[in-house]
């Protein structure tokens, strides 16, 4: 039996300027490291067949499955504020699209599958470490309920890639509701190709915002839709302590999914100005800057859409500004509502926002662990505050705050257990802590040992369950385990 991919490709039917047709470059000795079996089933693929050597060859780009129409997508982008008119898939190839069991169209893309016309000076390859990082973190984000690209498989290629040293090469099979980015629009905008922008916008509306088909002003509504999804997405990031690390416009998805896991990381101790990425020297993409940057990226998208809004430039700009103006309120509403759930409030009262801000301020001052403080606060709803207060350098700071919090929750009719259950449903026990991710990568790269990777992936699949047997995975790093810098490894 051969592996059957039920491809129904739509992007490769768009005009030739949207992509380059290019096949993956075969690799020496593909070996499957990980297959996401439930995701395979969701995509209508046979997981048993994907686990055969023939399946691994496909997932490594060694053979192209029937029905695939491999392309590298064209895009531009602002990288750290600097505009680059041509980026594109330099090391990724879109095999095609399938309709999943929920009826949603999904891209199946190989990342690290060889050079393309967009590779510039790059080798088109990926190293094993970053592939495992993306696999772990993207699947963790999905389990946390955050819109994200998914990881279907990781294979090692049997070849080395040269970075600072020679490293094992790998290919990630990435699944996304599409790989269309703000930078895709920018690619055509800088070329003043308004017809291409219209084609792209129509494709995006049909694919990601079908409710807008036939709307009176569809392109305005599209911008409003992307603004709303990005506002919600960034709020969700902040609520779990996620730092994307490279929020360039080419890494900003039009569908509202988290995309392009490079030097991303979850913070341990709460610190609004936290940065991990080694290349983010100015802190442009620091934790608390992410909403501002999302709006900046959306403003770049709006600029691309202006020609579709109106022939009168001034009118178009005013309309765009009006739509972008909704971002702040939408973000704040999602973020504040999320924080209220995190501290276990069922109702809304004056003073709540200040109470929550006081907790965050105390956490920052006391280097309290972001994840554990909220998780243990859920337990404090039924029990004493011992575990929560232990997160604070000066536990008395917490005690003062907790007194006010207890007085506030006492005003609500919900019982202690109900509150704990509600809080545990939004405050994860387990996040992909940096030191754990690094340890897993080291075991794989240095010792060809994937057992730690398997275990971490398994624990992170149920982040809201206590999983007492794996309690150590919830622990913050010891001082000598702290990972302060992450690298994109490209
Ligand atoms: P990223 O930092 O992964 O978002 O990539 C930014 C741009 O650089 C994209 O156009 C990538 O396709 C390209 N790129 C990154 N790494 C490589 C590589 N090893 N070979 C070719 N192109 C790459
Ligand atoms: Mg990218």
């Amino acid at each position: 039996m051969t592996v059957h991919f039920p491809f129904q490709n739509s992007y490769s039917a768009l005009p030739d300027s949207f992509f380059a047709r290019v096949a993956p470059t075969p690799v020496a000795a593909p070996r499957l490291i990980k297959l996401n079996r439930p995701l395979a089933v969701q995509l209508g693929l046979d997981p048993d067949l994907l686990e055969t050597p023939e399946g691994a060859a496909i997932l490594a780009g060694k053979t192209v499955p029937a029905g695939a129409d491999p392309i590298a997508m064209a895009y531009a982008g602002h990288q750290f504020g600097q505009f680059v008119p041509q980026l594109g898939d330099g090391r990724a190839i879109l095999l095609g699209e399938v309709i999943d069991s929920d009826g949603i169209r999904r891209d199946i893309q190989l990342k690290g599958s060889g050079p393309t016309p967009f590779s510039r000076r790059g080798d088109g390859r990926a190293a094993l470490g970053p592939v495992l990082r993306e696999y772990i973190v993207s699947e963790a984000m999905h389990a946390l309920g955050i819109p994200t690209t998914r990881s279907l498989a990781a294979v090692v290629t049997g070849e080395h890639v040269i970075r600072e040293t020679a490293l094992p090469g790998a290919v990630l099979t990435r699944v996304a509701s599409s790989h269309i980015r703000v930078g895709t629009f920018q690619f055509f905008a800088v070329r003043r190709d308004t017809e291409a922008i219209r084609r792209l916008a129509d494709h995006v509306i049909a694919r990601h915002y079908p409710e807008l088909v036939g709307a009176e002003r569809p392109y305005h509504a599209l911008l409003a839709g992307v603004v709303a999804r990005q506002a919600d997405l960034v709020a969700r990031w902040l609520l779990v302590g996620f730092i994307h690390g490279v929020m360039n416009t080419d890494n900003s998805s039009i569908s509202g999914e988290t995309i392009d896991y490079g030097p991303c990381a979850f913070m341990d101790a709460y610190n609004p100005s936290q940065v991990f990425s080694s290349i983010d020297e100015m802190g442009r993409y620091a934790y608390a800057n992410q909403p501002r940057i999302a709006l900046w990226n959306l403003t770049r998208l709006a600029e691309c859409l202006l020609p579709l809004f109106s022939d009168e430039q001034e009118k178009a700009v005013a309309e765009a500004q009006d739509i972008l103006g909704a971002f702040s309120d939408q973000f704040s509403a999602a973020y504040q509502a999320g924080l209220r759930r995190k501290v276990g409030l069922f109702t809304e009262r004056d003073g709540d926002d200040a109470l929550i801000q006081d907790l965050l301020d105390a956490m920052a001052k006391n280097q309290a662990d972001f994840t554990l403080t909220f998780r243990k606060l859920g337990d404090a709803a039924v029990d004493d505050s011992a575990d929560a207060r232990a997160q604070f350098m000066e536990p008395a700071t917490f005690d003062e705050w907790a007194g006010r919090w207890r007085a506030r929750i006492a005003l609500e009719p919900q019982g202690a257990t109900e509150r704990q259950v509600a809080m545990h449903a939004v405050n994860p026990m387990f996040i992909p802590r940096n030191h754990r991710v690094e340890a897993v990568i080291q075991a794989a790269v240095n010792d060809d040992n994937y057992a730690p990777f398997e275990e971490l992936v398994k624990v992170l699949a149920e982040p809201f369950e206590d999983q007492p047997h794996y309690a150590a995975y919830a622990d913050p790093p010891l001082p000598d385990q702290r990972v302060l810098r992450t690298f994109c490894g490209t």
Side-chain angles (χ1 to χ4, degrees), residues 53-374:
E54 190 210 350
I58 291 172
L59 297 169
K62 196 173 179 180
T63 29
V64 175
D69 192 1
I71 57 171
M73 291 167 66
Y75 53 86
H78 275 92
Q79 300 186 308
F80 291 90
Q82 295 294 321
F83 186 64
V84 184
Q86 180 164 311
L87 288 167
D89 288 332
R91 54 160 171 174
I93 289 176
L94 175 63
L95 286 182
E97 303 150 25
V98 300
I99 310 294
D100 76 7
S101 55
D102 298 325
I104 296 174
R105 181 178 293 275
R106 304 252 181 224
D107 278 5
I108 300 184
Q109 189 206 59
L110 302 180
K111 187 170 172 184
S113 52
T116 77
F118 303 109
S119 294
R120 294 173 291 159
R121 281 184 296 277
D123 59 2
R125 291 296 179 191
L128 177 57
V131 164
L132 295 181
R133 174 178 282 274
E134 175 152 0
Y135 192 108
I136 294 163
V137 182
S138 66
E139 286 304 302
M141 292 287 270
H142 171 72
L144 289 165
I146 298 174
T148 178
T149 62
R150 304 284 311 272
S151 295
L152 176 64
V155 293
V156 286
T157 59
E159 297 176 2
H160 281 96
V161 296
I162 309 302
R163 295 297 179 256
E164 263 116 56
T165 56
L167 297 167
V171 176
L172 180 82
T173 305
R174 180 160 75 179
V175 175
S177 68
S178 87
H179 285 83
I180 302 168
R181 309 135 192 273
V182 170
T184 317
F185 282 89
Q186 291 181 292
F187 180 84
F188 298 111
V190 68
R191 289 164 179 76
R192 307 211 175 277
D193 188 346
T194 303
E195 267 328 291
I197 297 172
R198 195 185 309 277
R199 281 295 289 272
L200 182 62
D202 289 342
H203 177 87
V204 164
I205 290 170
R207 186 163 175 180
H208 298 302
Y209 300 87
E211 67 280 8
L212 304 182
V213 174
E216 200 183 316
R217 298 199 304 174
Y219 307 119
H220 295 75
L222 170 61
L223 179 61
V226 182
V227 166
R229 287 198 200 169
Q230 284 284 335
D232 183 66
L233 180 67
V234 175
R236 288 168 185 261
W237 288 356
L238 296 202
L239 292 166
V240 295
F242 177 75
I243 304 167
H244 182 284
V246 221
M247 289 178 71
N248 294 334
T249 55
D250 53 301
N251 294 337
S252 173
S253 153
I254 294 295
S255 76
E257 289 179 335
T258 313
I259 189 169
D260 265 16
Y261 293 87
C264 61
F266 282 70
M267 60 185 176
D268 297 300
Y270 177 64
N271 169 13
S273 55
Q274 181 74 59
V275 174
F276 287 104
S277 168
S278 61
I279 54 172
D280 190 4
E281 282 154 20
M282 309 296 285
R284 178 180 171 90
Y285 300 140
Y287 171 81
N289 248 356
Q290 296 182 112
R292 230 173 317 197
I293 292 293
L295 178 57
W296 193 89
N297 291 347
L298 289 161
T299 307
R300 305 287 82 76
L301 173 64
E303 288 164 358
C304 300
L305 295 174
L306 291 179
L308 305 188
F309 280 12
S310 169
D311 292 336
E312 295 167 53
Q313 168 93 1
E314 253 173 62
K315 181 164 175 280
V317 169
E319 289 168 355
Q321 277 169 343
D322 195 38
I323 296 167
L324 292 166
F327 178 89
S328 286
D329 282 351
Q330 285 172 346
F331 165 76
S332 294
Y335 178 59
Q336 292 300 340
L339 284 173
R340 309 170 62 76
R341 285 192 295 272
K342 286 180 84 68
V343 300
L345 297 182
F346 290 92
T347 55
E348 234 176 296
R349 282 176 181 257
D350 284 348
D352 286 349
D353 288 356
L355 179 71
I356 293 169
Q357 191 57 48
D358 287 349
L359 174 64
L360 291 172
D361 292 345
M363 287 166 64
K365 214 186 265 170
N366 284 269
Q367 296 173 27
D369 186 82
F370 183 79
T371 303
L372 287 183
T373 299
F374 287 108

